[in-house]
Amino acid sequence: MKNIWQYEEETMSLDDLKQFQLERLQSTLNRVSENVDFYKRKFKDAGIDVAKIKSLEDIKHLPFTTKQDLRDNYPYGMFAVPLKDIVRIHSSSGTTGKPTVVGYTKRDLETWKNLVARIMVAGGVSANDIVHIAFSYGLFTGGFGLHYGAEHIGASVIPVSSGNTKRQIMIMQDYRSSVLVCTPSYALHIAETLENEGLSRNDIFLKYALLGSEPWGEKIRSEIENKLGVSATDNYGLSEIIGPGVSGECQCKNGLHINEDHFYAEVINPDTCEVLPEGEKGELVLTTLTKEAMPLIRYRTRDITRLFRDKCPCGRTFIKMEKPSGRTDDMLIINGVNVFPSQVEEVFKEFDQATPHYIIIVKKKGHLDMMEIQLEISENLFFDEMKKQRTLLEKMHERMFSVLGIKPKIKFVEPKTIERFEGKAKRVIDERQF
Ligand SMILES: [Zn+2]
């Protein structure tokens, strides 16, 4: 069938799938307990003998892996293969200054492009399409992930990368882009720029939009679909697990099919860590079943969702997850980039002039996210000459950009203007609506 990329896998019966998952889980457990010191130790401490994992339900006895674990093993401590077998390195934002590192073997890259091809085909893309990728290319997995998946289908790929919206529109018109890949907020921003240029959906050739990396609702979907003349689908992924390609919506647009033959999904109660039955909302936990370079066991994604298995008219049998509806930690998603407030704090600590009093305000400017950080500075600096203030501001901007990957607005405020808290300080005011 032409609208399912890997028909046999994606329409597998539940019995076959479970058998497949169990075999792959056992082989992954064997590999990590032999080759990754972190898991060797962790299983030993928990008294786990991986040979005794005989069913998928047994997975609940295994310990979780967290972002902190990746950080503690920075940079290559989580790799299960020698560096010579790693052919690609990406990273994702860490909770503090250092990002976390992820690696891929040759076979991991093969798997990855097939998984992305699956979600792209599910979103409507075919070999006849011209795919316009407006994700930034670099250490983050979005750009390259979608790029290789689209090429693998046989589509023509334009690696436009992010920014310069007018130029994006020119390319869309001239090269006749038929698929747009970016964040939902950037798709809306393109639509708005189109209007400001006196153009409409009739002046471009888009048919499909594959959008991801940030939360969005049905209202935003219909606005994008109307203004750009596309069918818009959501897709989900995280660098730690593989990048984009973990799950994606089909044309039924009712939940994201998880590529279950490669990832085992659970939903847990984030407070008690107990596994919740299908249909209940909680934190998504993923175990990689085929990753060679960096297999992860029960990785806590911090994304809140629920799982459900319905008989989807598209023919795919894989379980679905609802669009993630929030986080169990304080991570912010700013125009698709993950930012932790603790990273901001780390940067300020590098500057003597910064006080510990700051607040992060996130709002929408047009359709794009805007992050403003207000920082109290010492009294003498505040009343000091403007030139000194400007130099300091420039240095802070530069550091923020290199640590966060985005350019927040930083504003100095007078001492004692930011509200004080007796308990845990409120660091973030998020005024956005999804
Ligand atoms: Zn479906």
Side-chain angles (χ1 to χ4, degrees):
M1 227 155 105
K2 87 174 200 334
N3 57 354
I4 298 185
W5 181 249
Q6 289 180 312
Y7 189 84
E8 209 173 298
E9 288 91 340
E10 293 177 76
T11 60
M12 209 183 276
S13 76
L14 192 55
D15 285 346
D16 286 351
L17 176 71
K18 296 227 147 147
Q19 187 53 35
F20 216 59
Q21 285 183 317
L22 180 61
E23 283 164 20
R24 288 179 163 187
L25 173 68
Q26 286 169 327
S27 121
T28 299
L29 289 173
N30 283 334
R31 273 186 304 116
V32 299
S33 61
E34 274 165 33
N35 303 329
V36 185
D37 286 342
F38 165 78
Y39 282 115
K40 217 182 276 179
R41 254 193 338 263
K42 202 145 186 170
F43 292 164
K44 192 168 165 250
D45 291 349
I48 305 263
D49 176 1
V50 295
K52 290 198 175 129
I53 302 293
K54 297 282 183 209
S55 75
L56 285 172
E57 285 66 46
D58 287 343
I59 202 169
K60 64 173 186 280
H61 304 301
L62 298 172
F64 294 101
T65 309
T66 63
K67 199 164 184 79
Q68 182 64 36
D69 295 327
L70 304 194
R71 207 183 134 212
D72 294 343
N73 290 284
Y74 177 86
Y76 299 141
M78 298 297 283
F79 287 5
V81 297
L83 263 183
K84 71 171 177 45
D85 295 336
I86 301 280
V87 295
R88 178 93 66 80
I89 287 169
H90 279 286
S91 75
S92 75
S93 57
T95 46
T96 56
K98 297 261 197 233
T100 49
V101 176
V102 296
Y104 301 78
T105 63
K106 259 189 189 158
R107 207 189 79 184
D108 288 337
L109 289 185
E110 285 295 310
T111 306
W112 192 16
K113 71 184 185 192
N114 269 311
L115 299 187
V116 173
R118 286 183 189 179
I119 59 154
M120 294 198 90
V121 169
V125 183
S126 76
N128 302 323
D129 278 305
I130 299 174
V131 180
H132 182 112
I133 299 183
F135 270 136
S136 61
Y137 280 67
L139 280 171
F140 294 102
T141 44
F144 283 102
L146 271 303
H147 181 106
Y148 285 104
E151 271 188 4
H152 193 43
I153 294 172
S156 318
V157 182
I158 319 174
V160 193
S161 201
S162 56
N164 200 341
T165 310
K166 284 186 189 171
R167 181 166 153 267
Q168 302 258 3
I169 290 173
M170 181 198 81
I171 290 173
M172 266 178 213
Q173 287 188 293
D174 294 349
Y175 302 4
R176 299 182 172 240
S177 315
S178 59
V179 177
L180 174 64
V181 174
C182 61
T183 59
S185 55
Y186 195 60
L188 278 177
H189 183 65
I190 290 176
E192 193 183 35
T193 312
L194 203 63
E195 276 173 11
N196 292 343
E197 297 289 294
L199 301 168
S200 78
R201 57 191 269 180
N202 300 325
D203 298 298
I204 52 174
F205 304 89
L206 291 178
K207 289 185 299 185
Y208 299 102
L210 273 96
L211 309 174
S213 295
E214 61 185 23
W216 54 309
E218 291 309 317
K219 204 173 139 250
I220 295 179
R221 189 198 314 259
S222 57
E223 200 176 333
I224 292 170
E225 294 192 327
N226 288 333
K227 290 190 170 164
L228 292 177
V230 293
S231 166
T233 49
D234 190 11
N235 65 83
Y236 170 86
L238 59 168
S239 309
E240 294 87 337
I241 294 298
I242 201 161
V246 172
S247 66
E249 282 181 324
C250 58
Q251 289 299 316
C252 303
K253 298 176 190 171
N254 161 37
L256 292 77
H257 288 286
I258 298 177
N259 282 316
E260 277 186 286
D261 50 341
H262 293 269
F263 311 107
Y264 182 77
E266 303 166 89
V267 164
I268 62 163
N269 174 328
D271 300 321
T272 64
C273 291
E274 86 190 282
V275 180
L276 298 174
E278 247 170 61
E280 277 186 42
K281 212 166 211 176
E283 180 183 330
L284 179 68
V285 170
L286 294 169
T287 297
T288 65
L289 299 175
T290 52
K291 275 281 279 301
E292 288 185 332
M294 204 179 102
L296 292 182
I297 309 299
R298 302 193 88 197
Y299 184 71
R300 293 190 61 171
T301 66
R302 305 286 171 183
D303 286 313
I304 298 169
T305 185
R306 89 190 168 84
L307 301 175
F308 58 102
R309 201 180 291 278
D310 62 0
K311 206 170 159 36
C312 192
C314 79
R316 290 174 184 80
T317 50
F318 287 159
I319 203 163
K320 288 177 179 173
M321 59 184 265
E322 225 171 54
K323 277 167 173 294
S325 58
R327 302 268 309 165
T328 64
D329 60 7
D330 56 358
M331 189 184 90
L332 295 163
I333 304 177
I334 312 288
N335 296 319
V337 177
N338 300 344
V339 172
F340 290 93
S342 48
Q343 292 175 288
V344 170
E345 193 155 332
E346 291 279 310
V347 172
F348 284 148
K349 276 187 193 155
E350 298 171 10
F351 294 88
D352 294 338
Q353 301 94 329
T355 70
H357 305 290
Y358 69 91
I359 190 137
I360 299 169
I361 300 163
V362 190
K363 51 189 167 194
K364 287 277 179 191
K365 192 179 175 191
H367 293 294
L368 296 179
D369 299 329
M370 222 264 298
M371 179 170 156
E372 179 182 297
I373 310 168
Q374 297 184 354
L375 171 72
E376 281 183 20
I377 48 173
S378 56
E379 198 137 4
N380 37 6
L381 181 68
F382 193 81
F383 294 106
D384 218 334
E385 40 185 321
M386 288 306 282
K387 204 175 146 209
K388 270 193 189 160
Q389 275 199 32
R390 258 205 311 270
T391 316
L392 177 64
L393 208 52
E394 270 169 31
K395 280 188 189 148
M396 283 183 173
H397 269 131
E398 219 170 89
R399 280 299 295 151
M400 283 293 174
F401 182 57
S402 80
V403 171
L404 307 181
I406 56 164
K407 290 177 186 150
K409 186 173 167 197
I410 302 172
K411 199 173 149 191
F412 291 155
V413 294
E414 258 184 273
K416 303 197 174 58
T417 44
I418 289 170
E419 201 185 337
R420 301 294 193 261
F421 294 87
E422 287 195 0
K424 202 175 177 300
K426 188 172 164 54
R427 293 298 195 191
V428 179
I429 300 173
D430 195 339
E431 298 173 349
R432 296 171 297 176
Q433 282 181 340
F434 300 110

